[in-house]
Amino acid sequence: MTEKPNPVILAERSDRAALDFLTEKFDLHGTECAVETHLHYTRLLPSKEAEPSFVVGTVAELIVTIYKFRALESLISEYQSQGFEIYALLGALLQVDCDEEVKRIEKLTGYPMEIAPRTLFEFRLKELKEDWEELKALAALLLKQCSSPEDVYRLIPYFINPEDGRSIELGKGPEAFRPERVVIPRYTSDKDADAVIEVVRLRPARVVIKDPESMDERLLNALRALGE
């Protein structure tokens, strides 16, 4: 039986957030990925050790994280938060139907020779984009009724799957910050905001802070609020 080749990923050269996400995911998976930089795009060529399903799944996850965030991020300016509560809410919105969205994208994509995430998103995922616009409209309506950061935090359980059953326990210790075990997407230019988004999106059972004295107080307050 002929071995099915891995799809080649064609990513926009200027989209550093997407490129970083893809390459870091391959690194985390222990998969080598050759990178060819061209004038307007970058070709990512995963090694044959990676299963085609992993390559397609990584592209699908890119779309439901980075691209989905970009579809929702106007909520930040509409709400004009002084803290990180809006980012926590965005993390919850990213989790809505996330697993099902990945499956939809994987089914639609199949195992082609090449995958261009931006083209796939713009021209073949119309229904998904419409779903995200509806989700954003709902969140915007609810945000208009919020008069305090506490009100925004109270919205988060509304968007989190109750069957998940996990809550965040905030602890202190040297063992928790293990960046080699997780990829935090570059959603924004603020790493702390990115961390808040990803904490809510992933819903870890426990968040342990190695050195709270060195952290931004707004980030600590956000984590405390999420743990309550």
Side-chain angles (χ1 to χ4, degrees):
M1 179 181 293
T2 303
E3 189 174 281
K4 184 180 295 184
N6 274 319
V8 172
I9 302 174
L10 302 179
E12 295 174 288
R13 183 180 176 183
S14 60
D15 193 345
R16 290 307 315 173
L19 285 170
D20 288 349
F21 180 91
L22 292 168
T23 55
E24 289 175 12
K25 280 289 184 180
F26 283 116
D27 287 344
L28 188 67
H29 189 256
T31 300
E32 292 185 5
C33 185
V35 178
E36 295 180 355
T37 302
H38 299 269
L39 183 60
H40 297 299
Y41 66 93
T42 297
R43 297 179 82 235
L44 303 177
L45 299 91
S47 65
K48 63 181 181 180
E49 287 76 16
E51 292 290 331
S53 59
F54 170 75
V55 178
V56 173
T58 299
V59 171
E61 191 174 350
L62 165 69
I63 291 172
V64 302
T65 52
I66 299 293
Y67 290 3
K68 186 174 182 179
F69 172 80
R70 290 171 180 169
L72 302 171
E73 67 178 333
S74 63
L75 291 170
I76 298 171
S77 58
E78 292 174 14
Y79 175 71
Q80 296 183 338
S81 171
Q82 297 300 311
F84 287 146
E85 65 271 17
I86 188 63
Y87 299 104
L89 178 61
L90 282 165
L93 297 178
L94 289 179
Q95 198 199 53
V96 173
D97 294 331
C98 177
D99 292 341
E100 182 60 32
E101 290 170 350
V102 167
K103 292 175 183 176
R104 287 168 62 184
I105 295 170
E106 289 174 337
K107 183 177 180 180
L108 177 67
T109 305
Y111 298 112
M113 294 296 293
E114 295 182 337
I115 308 175
R118 172 58 62 181
T119 302
L120 176 64
F121 174 67
E122 292 293 349
F123 298 105
R124 300 190 65 191
L125 297 175
K126 179 181 177 181
E127 291 183 2
L128 196 62
K129 291 162 68 176
E130 290 174 349
D131 290 345
W132 294 348
E133 286 300 316
E134 292 179 2
L135 180 63
K136 182 171 69 172
L138 173 60
L141 180 63
L142 294 173
L143 278 170
K144 288 180 180 178
Q145 302 174 46
C146 295
S147 58
S148 68
E150 291 74 23
D151 289 341
V152 179
Y153 283 117
R154 291 189 190 102
L155 290 179
I156 291 175
Y158 178 81
F159 294 102
I160 297 293
N161 185 353
E163 296 180 358
D164 191 356
R166 290 178 291 177
S167 61
I168 297 175
E169 177 187 348
L170 189 61
K172 178 180 178 180
E175 73 277 9
F177 183 63
R178 297 179 180 178
E180 74 276 13
R181 295 192 176 187
V182 64
V183 173
I184 297 181
R186 192 192 299 183
Y187 295 111
T188 71
S189 59
D190 187 331
K191 291 183 178 179
D192 288 344
D194 294 346
V196 170
I197 294 169
E198 199 65 358
V199 162
V200 180
R201 189 182 79 86
L202 296 179
R203 298 298 293 169
R206 190 166 187 242
V207 175
V208 182
I209 299 172
K210 182 177 180 181
D211 185 14
E213 290 77 15
S214 65
M215 292 178 64
D216 187 313
E217 188 64 27
R218 295 179 303 158
L219 177 55
L220 281 174
N221 290 338
L223 294 174
R224 292 188 187 106
L226 291 169
E228 291 177 352

